Structures are given as structure tokens and as C-alpha cells.
Amino acid sequence: MRENLVNMAFTDCLTPADLFPEGMGLKRKNWRSRIRFLLKTNSSHSVLHLVRNRRYRPSPDDVNQWAQSLDKLLSHKYGKMIFCIFLKSEFCEENIEFWTACEEFSTLTSHKELVSKANDIYEEFIKNDAPKEINLDYHTKNSIVQSLDDPTVTSFLAAQKKVYSLMENNSYPRFINSDLYKELCSRAEAKHIRPWSN
């Protein structure tokens, strides 16, 4: 279980169920305390516990580069994971999940895979009352609907750009100014002086 959680954390966004299994007594409304929990706990669910594995520890340079652009943050596995956790704390994780799904979609080569994945993305993020519906204008949604029968790797590109812009202009600046990011910066600096500790 612990190894699976570590592997999942650095290959994809963690879900609330991954971070807080049933029985831990944490309610959805307490995301800010969850972030503190992630920073301070000694359990296998701790972000700091995950980065104790030397392979995954961000350097001060890594953490500082995340403040240069959203692109640099998302291109770093650990940075992306932390940003996912932050977005969950703001109840807007559907944006990064949609963006990630679009990134995966753009790498597909088989027409059958494109059709299947396009419909999955539509059902999960685009259609009205989708479980993780993202905020898109009518024209962008309509363009996606029209492409579902014969999608191409660019079918979601316009929507992905809009969501990226939304994150870049809203969530990303809040992340860079958050206590979570500041704590990560100070701990990345401290690790060169002494091992990370809770």
C-alpha cells in the first residue's frame, strides 16, 4: 500500500480517497487542515514523507523554478502533484484533471483509442452536469460535441488552452503565494543543511 501510494503520487494526481482513506475522520470541508496534515504527519500519506525518497526530493532550484511559470510547475512530477493537492483544497481539481486527460489524449495514435478516450473525456468533463464539469463557453463545447464521432488529437486543444489559461491566471498565482508553497521553499532550502524532518 505504501509503495503504491508513493508511485501513484509521482505519476498522477492523488484523489481524496488516496490521500485520506475511509476511517481517517477527515471531512471534505477541512481541506486547509488536510494540507497541514500532509505537511506535518508522520504517516505514509504525508507529502514530506513521500519526498524523503532521495529520488523524488525537489531541489531549491526545482521549487524556485515552479514560480517562474505554470508550464515549469506542471512539467515537474512532484510540482504537478503538489499543485493537484492545492487545487483540491480549492475545490477546482477538475481543471488539472481535465488538462492531464487532454495531454494523454494528444499522445494517442489509434482512431479507436481516440474515439473511446474522447467520449470518456466528454462524459467526465464536458457534458452538462458531468461529474467534473469544467467551465467552457457554448462554442467550445459545441465544437467538441461535433468532433466526437471522428476525433483528432486536437479535438480538445481549444478547451485545454482555456483551462490552462484559467489555471495560469487564477489558481497558479494563488498557489505561488500560498503557505503550502512557502513551506515547500523553506524545506527545500533546509534539506541542504539537514535531512528533512516533520
Side-chain angles (χ1 to χ4, degrees):
M1 166 67 179
R2 290 185 179 207
E3 287 179 9
N4 289 342
L5 182 64
V6 171
N7 291 335
M8 195 179 358
F10 294 99
T11 57
D12 203 354
C13 291
L14 292 174
T15 67
D18 298 324
L19 292 169
F20 307 100
E22 281 187 50
M24 289 189 70
L26 294 170
K27 303 293 184 193
R28 183 171 174 84
K29 64 182 180 178
N30 296 324
W31 274 105
R32 294 207 188 277
S33 63
R34 288 182 182 203
I35 288 176
R36 283 193 289 278
F37 174 82
L38 286 166
L39 287 170
K40 293 177 182 174
T41 184
N42 287 323
S43 79
S44 64
H45 303 289
S46 169
V47 170
L48 297 180
H49 178 80
L50 294 174
V51 299
R52 281 188 179 147
N53 182 333
R54 204 173 276 279
R55 208 164 49 146
Y56 294 124
R57 279 196 214 168
S59 68
D61 187 51
D62 289 333
V63 178
N64 289 331
Q65 282 186 24
W66 300 346
Q68 293 175 14
S69 72
L70 177 57
D71 191 49
K72 290 196 182 218
L73 175 66
L74 295 179
S75 66
H76 192 280
K77 284 183 181 181
Y78 180 76
K80 181 181 170 188
M81 182 201 68
I82 291 295
F83 190 52
C84 285
I85 291 169
F86 176 76
L87 291 179
K88 287 176 193 300
S89 78
E90 296 207 326
F91 305 102
C92 59
E93 67 267 25
E94 69 277 359
N95 292 323
I96 190 70
E97 290 174 7
F98 172 73
W99 182 87
T100 301
C102 291
E103 287 291 287
E104 293 166 3
F105 179 81
S106 69
T107 66
L108 300 177
T109 54
S110 150
H111 186 264
K112 185 178 177 182
E113 287 179 325
L114 284 170
V115 171
S116 175
K117 184 70 172 173
N119 280 285
D120 289 347
I121 292 172
Y122 173 76
E123 290 293 321
E124 188 171 7
F125 298 103
I126 308 295
K127 76 174 186 178
N128 292 335
D129 298 321
K132 299 177 182 177
E133 186 178 1
I134 56 170
N135 189 11
L136 291 176
D137 60 89
Y138 170 79
H139 295 295
T140 306
K141 274 190 175 187
N142 193 44
S143 174
I144 290 169
V145 171
Q146 291 179 1
S147 75
L148 288 177
D149 289 334
D150 191 23
T152 68
V153 291
T154 60
S155 291
F156 293 97
L157 189 58
Q160 185 183 19
K161 285 181 178 178
K162 287 177 188 291
V163 167
Y164 183 93
S165 178
L166 182 68
M167 291 191 296
E168 185 175 41
N169 294 314
N170 293 300
S171 306
Y172 173 67
R174 287 197 301 275
F175 169 72
I176 295 303
N177 289 307
S178 71
D179 291 339
L180 175 61
Y181 179 71
K182 289 171 187 170
E183 178 75 8
L184 290 167
C185 287
S186 66
R187 288 187 181 252
E189 292 292 340
K191 82 171 190 170
H192 288 287
I193 301 166
R194 62 187 184 279
W196 285 33
S197 63
N198 292 331

